[in-house]
Amino acid sequence: MAQAKKALSKTSGKNNSRPASRAAVKTYQNYINGEWVASQSGEMFENINPADTRDIVGRFPLSTSDDVNAAVNAAQGAFDRWRNTPAPKRAEILFHLGEILIRDKERYTADMTREMGKVLKEAGGDIQEAIDCTYYTAGEGRRLHGFTTPAEMRDKFAMCVRQPVGLCGLITPWNFPMAIPSWKLIPALICGNTVVIKPAEDTPLSTYNLVKACEEAGIPPGVVNLVTGYGESVGAAMTNHNALRLISFTGSTATGRVVASACAERNAICSLEMGGKNAIIVMDDADVDLAVEGAVWGAFGTSGQRCTASSRLIVHKKVYKQFVTKLVENTKSLRVGNGADPKTDVGPVINNDAVEKIMGYIRIGRNDDGAKLACGGKRLTRGDYANGYFIEPTVFTDAAPDMRIAQEEIFGPVTTVIPANSLEEAVEIANGVRYGLSAAIYTRDVNRAFRAMNEMYTGIFYVNASTIGAEVHLPFGGTKATGNGHREAGTQVLDIFSEWKSIYVDFSGKLQRAQIDNVESSHSA
Ligand code: UN1
């Protein structure tokens, strides 16, 4: 998943030069208890366009633990009323939210491309994912199924219902600035929780847009609270806040571990979505053109900044040469540029830290690992690229599975091709990383497809499709260092944002002792 970002300095390390009129830059506020308010410190940070750092998207509150405390108090104050609002009623508001998101999709899309860099089509997809999630999850308002089951004794009834967890802290990444907040926010709300949400400091505008739409949809004050700022301050204050019963975090595996330990200290529920090192296996019977198309889309879509990105391509030796030739050709034809230009295929990466990290991995790939750099490998700095964070789509070939570029999450437009001799070997290589989010196979052989499906230890698996492109009604998440056992999306997400309550109703009018009276009576029967 998204790398946790280093905090930018207040005046922002992200921008090189200032726009002519700083006064024209729009100022945004936190949303606490139904009011738009400045941070208590009064300080702000800047949201910068990664395609052109002279463009300041907006100024947002540089919040502190004081703002988190206020937001948590608001969430506390609203909780009883919201949890006792019938779920179908909560759903009505969320359906209305879905309508607003559809109405303003175009504006949100432009905002997202401007603050995050992804191309307009993909930004539209991100908003669409939030819309899909909203409609799908709102439908749960008339389900939220529990279950009944026979009790072990006569005249006794047993059932299980979902209850809200309570106050939830949501910490979200910059790479899917509206979709991922929606994956957390909407299920939290339908289950009857109240929330404090902290968007990534690089992309607060998309979450602001989502929260603003929540306000317009009629979600009562205090139910959704927005606090912007950095992980080190706002994120840490949330993670350590005793009243937040649950922290849902998407970001780097390193930060996730810190979040998890803090939650463990105070017995809070913690759901984590973290890194990936996803492999596409290409078999010798595959449609190679289709596989190349899938690889290019999976590796370079969102500039490779997806936790599901196809960062490893494990290719059968029999089609290796053919695959690599076509892959390199296709990759070279990608147009890198500002995502707002409809002709652009690959936008910038998110910020300077990302540039340094990705370029660092490109150096490691060439020098330490000794893989072959087949194309790309450079930062683009001239002409239109001069003020942005652009990196050429990069392909390494002839890599060994244990190389660092084949093991570590780069989170940028870099993919690594590894040759394999058989399906068994390919699967072993594909499984041989610490992460377990997504994997794919291209083959025309149904037996091989099912074999790989059975053997890959990941949370998501694709046949004849890339490693990206999950849909909202199926569970999303991964094994090993990718997560901690939870799944977002689908109905499975309800198990994060609600807790089971088992209820026994004894209508016998006498004391019935479980595990004792029924055993005695069955023996004597
Ligand atoms: C992510 O990369 O953090 O499956 C989420 C996909 C998208 C979600 C990706 N629907 O690629």
Side-chain angles (χ1 to χ4, degrees):
M1 193 34 305
Q3 298 303 315
K5 295 215 328 35
K6 273 209 219 139
L8 310 166
S9 73
K10 256 179 267 167
T11 47
S12 186
K14 207 175 167 193
N15 55 328
N16 306 328
S17 48
R18 301 287 176 196
S21 64
R22 288 192 71 198
V25 174
K26 191 165 170 197
T27 293
Y28 294 86
Q29 293 180 306
N30 285 332
Y31 186 61
I32 297 176
N33 212 14
E35 306 278 340
W36 293 97
V37 290
S39 75
Q40 294 184 30
S41 72
E43 292 190 71
M44 311 288 283
F45 66 95
E46 288 171 344
N47 179 2
I48 310 286
N49 181 342
D52 181 351
T53 56
R54 294 165 303 179
D55 175 27
I56 300 177
V57 179
R59 305 176 72 230
F60 288 78
L62 184 70
S63 309
T64 65
S65 56
D66 293 337
D67 305 297
V68 171
N69 290 341
V72 171
N73 287 342
Q76 185 75 66
F79 178 55
D80 277 337
R81 197 164 145 228
W82 183 245
R83 78 182 166 86
N84 287 317
T85 301
K89 205 79 214 143
R90 297 198 291 260
E92 268 173 36
I93 304 177
L94 294 178
F95 278 120
H96 186 37
L97 170 65
E99 288 164 357
I100 296 167
L101 298 182
I102 289 175
R103 186 194 68 200
D104 289 343
K105 180 175 170 183
E106 212 172 311
R107 175 165 63 85
Y108 300 154
T109 300
D111 280 350
M112 188 182 292
T113 292
R114 187 173 167 210
E115 73 170 344
M116 189 274 168
K118 63 170 90 176
V119 298
L120 287 170
K121 256 208 179 68
E122 291 183 30
D126 189 313
I127 313 292
Q128 189 57 47
E129 202 160 336
I131 294 166
D132 296 345
C133 171
T134 303
Y135 277 110
Y136 174 72
T137 313
E140 279 305 318
R142 287 190 182 270
R143 287 186 293 266
L144 283 178
H145 293 145
F147 60 91
T148 65
T149 184
E152 65 184 36
M153 276 167 298
R154 286 168 196 270
D155 299 333
K156 193 176 173 191
F157 189 90
M159 62 184 160
C160 226
V161 299
R162 291 184 184 277
Q163 61 185 340
V165 165
L167 279 53
C168 300
L170 315 178
I171 303 175
T172 60
W174 48 263
N175 69 333
F176 275 79
M178 194 184 275
I180 293 181
S182 80
W183 292 1
K184 299 181 192 299
L185 179 64
I186 311 299
L189 296 179
I190 200 70
C191 289
N193 304 287
T194 55
V195 310
V196 177
I197 185 164
K198 177 219 168 294
E201 56 267 26
D202 279 310
T203 57
L205 179 55
S206 296
T207 306
Y208 166 90
N209 285 338
L210 180 62
V211 170
K212 191 91 183 147
C214 287
E215 180 190 30
E216 186 186 340
I219 292 176
V223 172
V224 176
N225 302 280
L226 168 74
V227 181
T228 61
Y230 295 153
E232 288 80 349
S233 44
V234 178
M238 287 168 66
T239 305
N240 292 311
H241 201 301
N242 269 323
L244 291 176
R245 280 289 305 135
L246 178 150
I247 299 291
S248 172
F249 168 82
T250 298
S252 73
T253 296
T255 307
R257 193 175 304 123
V258 175
V259 170
S261 344
C263 288
E265 282 296 317
R266 59 183 189 84
N267 294 316
I269 300 166
C270 172
S271 91
L272 306 171
E273 282 301 334
M274 304 174 288
K277 193 71 187 175
N278 316 286
I280 296 181
I281 295 173
V282 182
M283 291 309 297
D284 50 346
D285 61 43
D287 176 339
V288 172
D289 290 331
L290 187 67
V292 167
E293 234 185 315
V296 169
W297 170 231
F300 304 121
T302 327
S303 307
Q305 302 170 110
R306 292 196 193 209
C307 55
T308 51
S310 312
S311 48
R312 293 181 300 152
L313 310 172
I314 304 169
V315 184
H316 196 286
K317 281 204 171 134
K318 282 192 191 148
V319 289
Y320 186 82
K321 244 183 140 160
Q322 186 193 358
F323 178 88
V324 165
T325 308
K326 289 182 173 179
L327 175 72
V328 170
E329 196 180 292
N330 263 265
T331 303
K332 282 183 174 164
S333 74
L334 295 172
R335 285 161 303 200
V336 179
N338 190 324
D341 178 347
K343 289 198 289 294
T344 297
D345 298 308
V346 179
V349 300
I350 189 71
N351 58 31
N352 200 49
D353 288 345
V355 170
E356 278 171 17
K357 179 180 172 200
I358 297 161
M359 293 311 295
Y361 271 110
I362 292 174
R363 271 194 299 279
I364 289 168
R366 297 173 82 157
N367 304 339
D368 309 354
D369 288 342
K372 185 172 160 214
L373 180 68
C375 66
K378 288 197 287 296
R379 179 175 181 183
L380 299 165
T381 50
R382 301 229 172 100
D384 289 348
Y385 298 124
N387 295 300
Y389 302 120
F390 297 98
I391 295 179
E392 286 180 330
T394 299
V395 176
F396 280 105
T397 59
D398 304 350
D402 59 352
M403 289 179 176
R404 283 187 66 189
I405 53 165
Q407 288 287 327
E408 298 172 24
E409 188 179 46
I410 300 174
F411 224 72
V414 181
T415 193
T416 298
V417 194
I418 306 166
N421 288 298
S422 63
L423 177 63
E424 288 66 33
E425 193 193 345
V427 165
E428 197 185 318
I429 295 170
N431 272 332
V433 289
R434 59 198 287 250
Y435 301 110
L437 181 53
S438 182
I441 188 168
Y442 281 82
T443 177
R444 290 186 174 104
D445 180 336
V446 69
N447 291 358
R448 285 170 154 180
F450 271 81
R451 173 84 44 221
M453 181 193 83
N454 196 56
E455 297 305 317
M456 281 308 304
Y457 185 41
T458 54
I460 305 173
F461 186 73
Y462 293 91
V463 177
N464 292 328
S466 192
T467 55
I468 67 175
E471 302 177 23
V472 300
H473 50 300
L474 281 78
F476 183 97
T479 62
K480 300 189 278 186
T482 295
N484 63 343
H486 297 279
R487 291 292 182 270
E488 297 192 297
T491 49
Q492 288 70 17
V493 69
L494 303 175
D495 289 333
I496 297 179
F497 289 103
S498 65
E499 290 183 282
W500 288 109
K501 182 183 276 171
S502 299
I503 301 166
Y504 302 91
V505 183
D506 191 319
F507 54 99
S508 68
K510 61 182 184 205
L511 173 70
Q512 300 201 84
R513 296 168 300 175
Q515 295 94 35
I516 297 173
D517 292 336
N518 57 330
V519 174
E520 281 174 7
S521 63
S522 71
H523 286 170
S524 60

